[in-house]
Amino acid sequence: MGARSGSVLVVGVGGQGVVLSSAVAADAARRCGFDVKQSEVHGMSQRGGVVTSHLRYGDAVHSPLIAAGEADAIVALEWNEALRALPALRPGGTLIVSVERILPPSAFLDRLHGALRYPPIAVDLLRGTVPDVRACDATAVAARAGDRRAMNTVLLGVLSRVMPFSETAWDDAIVANVPPKALGANRAAFAAGRALQADDARRALARLARSDEGGDARRAAASLEIVDAWCKGEMCGICVRSCPEYCLGFDAEATAVRVTRADACTACGLCELLCPDFAIVVHPAVPA
Amino acid sequence: MSSTGESSSSVLLSGNEAIAQGAREAGVGVATGYPGTPSTEILEALVRSDPDRDVYVEWSSNEKVAIDVALGAAIGGTRALVTMKHVGLNVASDTFMTAAYTGVRAGLVVVSADDPGMHSSQNEQDNRFVARFAGVPLLEPSDSAEARDLTVAAFEIAERFDTPVLLRTTTRIAHARALVSVRPARRPDRGGFRRDRPKYVMLPGFARQRRIVLLDRLAALAEYAETSPLQRVELGDLSVGVITSSIAYQYVREALPEASVLKLGLTHPLPARLIRDFCSRVERVLVVEELDPYLEDQIRALGIAVEGKRFFARAGELGPDSVRAGLRLAGAVAETAAPAAQQSPPTTPRPPLLCPGCPHVVPFLALRQLGAVVTGDIGCYTLAASAPLEAMDSCVAMGSSIGMAIGVRRSGGASAPVVAAIGDSTFMHAGIPALVDAVTNGTDLTVLILDNGTTAMTGGQAQPGTGSTIRGDPSTRIDLAALCLALGARSAEVVDPYDVAATHRALEKAVASSGVSVVITDRPCVEAPVKVRDTPFAVVAERCIACQLCMNLGCPSIVWDGGLYEGRRRVRIDASTCTGCAVCAQLCPTEAMVPLTGTAAGDGR
């Protein structure tokens, strides 16, 4: 696109306010006399999934989608989504990111080892490939401005410094798109974001590092000792129903419990704890 | 196309809002539909634009009913709009195919919102073929401005040729926003019903006459298509000519700003002479279209050598990248070194989830423990098929769960209990006839109706169990249990899905009984119509033995940063998203989950 044109990709997680942010930026572009197209996908993504919104502006815009490697700026409301969106950024483009970590249940699937499946938040490392990273803890900034939920508008404030839209256009767009009762907080959040000079993410990074201590303990599978003579089998079934890993079942006659998924046992000991007949003993594997 | 000069008088509208706007400007009198992504927002925008209630708008119980209501309204003399997603037209097609015979009197516009790429759908059928199949005109806008224009044009064409018109959008039209210049809404005309039995009573004798009318009308429409202002020839560089429609046009213009383009807005019937003329002017013709080779095959059938799907994928959504790549493959754009795009470091997948406090979770946890074969249906609860619930074995089409459960049962192939799991809106849509089938044919079956009182998947639209209309007016709420019993179900037990033990017991009892047993889980959706936010729970860290039982709920509020117990991850509840449903607290063997009393919902750290 030419000089009087550009594109912004806004990304985040359902419920964070991606669509509203993009709508405000689109409205600001329109108020500056640009042709505008904006595209997002609704539907299943509302359910805690990834939300992306493409914004393109210029003298005349055709495609509502940004081609790979052509976004002038990415506004990421969440760290993992920032990394996912990176291929959209043009060389030399700006990545505006809140060091927000929203962990999806899919990050907790490795129960055997407790390894968290989430990319490390490493802003400095990212600067090696994306020189212009503007990271902040937008939620903390928004909280200081009056309402933590206005974190998306903090990032718009940061974005406003790299977009050719007038401050009046931004303010009018916020007034037109934000619900009246949240207007004050959003205006304050925008101003706070626009005023952010350097990175404001150090404290958040330290907090996230602390909260992620531990885990990833490599453990071998445990073994279960079941005393058949004491086990009531299907008459009871408490352990079969309560095993968090669905490791247990019954033998052919359903008179005693058997381990059916030994590999998945985390040695949590719940079966031993709940067995009314003391028929199960869990032996955690001894490290070699 | 919008330009900078007129932007001050223009508004940013999504394609769906633009269709509603166009319908209002055309004086629509009755608008119906069934919610379905990406079509849902059309009727919602129409309601918002009509505080004076000039237009009768309804969420119909299904798409077939919706088109029947709209056809009746058109025959009654007022312009009618009916909206649905692409697969909804399958449901409505019984009426749609024959409405092409009867004609419409006042304009009838049928909107089909297709979903290339299946962002929120079970298939990506290309409904342009349905227009051809039925013999009705097909309009395809390429952005919001055209969505408005073509909606207005569709009503005019419908009346001029006395035919339903199919207006086909796609996700990228429906949910993209662009500048649209708008005009004031028009109050609906009420032309009045005029009796005309040979036209509207499709007894074979009359239908045979109407079949001839349909064919004559198609010939007239083909003539109109040649000169319609909806077709646009943009002559430029004559070495390559592109024939295209819908969103593909935008990607082509972006990649080939100088090329000659035949941009079709009316794609059934196709303008044969216009296409021949265009092709004769350019050295080589490419057809760029999303999904199936609808244009390409028909143009080739005219005896014109064109190329298309050789270069462009037939599966999935097109985009600026894939269109440029296809044009490069075809040699229509210069081979340029692709810019060194950023590589994305490894990221965590983020599939859609059931919300914190979702009332659909517990019944599926119970079904998994019962080892049931679960035929599922269309709705949020289809997500129970994925980890960690993994308690659904099929999902095909609206209402299919019950019929398929009968089939699995009758196949003799299932040793475990067979349970059909269906949402309340889906049950009203297409589940009732299947339940009748199970009862009258004496099939032993358990039907789980997940009653959350709304159409949650599409954003919380009213349905027969909601007790209100699309405008929020109170209406009669259908009593599901009474309905099922009236249809002959042996039992219809209503349970609270937040009561883990009661839900387990109800399902256990139901699968053990003979005949058709119905279990109805009754809890409102936590997101609509009101956001349910009860006192959040917190984990008493020292009580948590890190057993992970609560993680089997897949609740997004339960996370792993509560430290370790014997080397395993303790859990923490994010109080800012916890709805206080108390389900995890019932599962927890050490009573570690307690209500966060005396504290405002905060971050919980």
Side-chain angles (χ1 to χ4, degrees), chain A residues 33 38-39 47 56 63 68 70 78 80-81 83-84 102 106 111 114 117-118 129 241-242 244 246 267, chain B residues 4 120 172 176-177 251 254 321 324 342 344 348-350 353 368-369 456 508 547 549 552 568-569 589:
Chain A
Q38 188 201 6
S39 180
R47 306 277 166 257
R56 304 185 72 230
S63 167
E70 291 190 359
E78 203 267 353
N80 185 56
E81 299 318 311
L83 299 187
R84 199 197 309 281
I102 299 179
S106 60
R111 295 187 189 163
R117 291 186 185 164
Y118 192 89
T129 49
R241 284 174 176 237
S242 57
Y246 303 98
Chain B
T4 320
S120 195
R172 207 50 73 181
R177 287 157 31 110
Y251 303 138
E254 193 98 19
D321 298 300
R324 203 179 301 169
Q342 288 284 340
S344 183
T348 303
R350 201 183 287 282
L353 302 164
R368 171 153 184 186
Q369 297 203 331
E508 222 164 11
C547 70
L549 196 58
N552 283 348
R568 297 185 306 275
R569 295 274 193 176

Side-chain angles (χ1 to χ4, degrees), chain B residues 271-283:
Chain B
R273 287 199 307 278
L274 185 66
I275 289 169
R276 270 187 224 285
D277 180 60
F278 177 78
C279 294
S280 71
R281 286 160 178 251
V282 294
E283 288 167 34

Side-chain angles (χ1 to χ4, degrees), chain B residues 481-558:
Chain B
L483 172 64
C484 293
L485 291 172
L487 293 178
R490 292 270 177 85
S491 63
E493 184 174 354
V494 180
V495 290
D496 177 359
Y498 283 178
D499 187 334
V500 178
T503 307
H504 271 71
R505 276 198 303 270
L507 282 166
E508 222 164 11
K509 199 172 106 193
V511 298
S513 57
S514 61
V516 174
S517 52
V518 178
V519 173
I520 301 167
T521 56
D522 178 22
R523 264 282 164 183
C525 171
V526 288
E527 289 298 313
V530 287
K531 283 189 188 293
V532 177
R533 296 293 181 269
D534 216 325
T535 309
F537 276 66
V539 178
V540 180
E542 49 275 21
R543 288 189 198 163
C544 175
I545 59 166
C547 70
Q548 312 296 327
L549 196 58
C550 55
M551 296 304 282
N552 283 348
L553 297 168
C555 176
S557 293
I558 306 179

Side-chain angles (χ1 to χ4, degrees), chain A residues 1 4 12-14 22-24 26-27 30 32-50 54 56 58-70 78 80-91 101-111 113-119 126 129-131 148 177 207-208 211-217 219 240-246 261 266-270 273-274, chain B residues 1-5 7-12 37 41 119-121 142-144 171-172 175-179 247 249-251 253-254 317-321 324 339-355 365 368-370 379-380 382-383 387-389 455-460 504 508 525 527 545-569 576 589-590 602-603 605:
Chain A
M1 298 179 92
R4 268 179 56 81
V13 179
S22 183
V24 169
D27 196 21
R30 179 188 70 86
C32 294
F34 289 108
D35 184 21
V36 180
K37 278 191 179 161
Q38 188 201 6
S39 180
E40 59 239 352
V41 171
H42 307 222
M44 297 207 91
S45 49
Q46 288 178 332
R47 306 277 166 257
V50 182
H54 296 236
R56 304 185 72 230
D59 291 334
V61 177
H62 289 289
S63 167
L65 289 178
I66 304 167
E70 291 190 359
E78 203 267 353
N80 185 56
E81 299 318 311
L83 299 187
R84 199 197 309 281
L86 274 186
L89 195 64
R90 73 166 163 77
R101 186 174 71 171
I102 299 179
L103 295 167
S106 60
F108 315 129
L109 290 178
D110 183 8
R111 295 187 189 163
H113 306 116
L116 197 62
R117 291 186 185 164
Y118 192 89
L126 192 59
T129 49
V130 183
R148 62 200 302 277
N177 288 277
R207 173 170 50 74
L208 286 170
S211 75
D212 193 28
E213 278 163 10
D216 207 7
R219 278 177 289 114
V240 175
R241 284 174 176 237
S242 57
C243 173
E245 313 306 328
Y246 303 98
R261 273 161 45 94
T266 67
C268 75
L270 195 58
L273 184 77
L274 296 181
Chain B
M1 222 186 328
S2 309
S3 72
T4 320
S7 65
S8 58
S9 62
S10 305
V11 287
L12 261 176
T37 311
E41 299 84 1
H119 296 282
S120 195
S121 300
S142 72
D143 65 9
S144 297
T171 305
R172 207 50 73 181
H175 286 168
R177 287 157 31 110
L179 294 173
I247 190 67
Y249 164 77
Q250 305 292 356
Y251 303 138
R253 275 276 75 125
E254 193 98 19
E317 188 183 14
L318 290 181
D321 298 300
R324 203 179 301 169
Q342 288 284 340
Q343 294 296 306
S344 183
T347 53
T348 303
R350 201 183 287 282
L353 302 164
L354 294 173
C355 302
L365 196 68
R368 171 153 184 186
Q369 297 203 331
L370 289 172
C380 294
T382 315
L383 297 172
L389 288 169
T455 318
M457 182 83 257
T458 44
H504 271 71
E508 222 164 11
C525 171
E527 289 298 313
I545 59 166
C547 70
Q548 312 296 327
L549 196 58
C550 55
M551 296 304 282
N552 283 348
L553 297 168
C555 176
S557 293
I558 306 179
V559 294
W560 258 3
D561 57 359
L564 297 179
Y565 176 81
E566 291 182 351
R568 297 185 306 275
R569 295 274 193 176
S576 69
T590 58
D603 153 290
R605 279 177 212 274

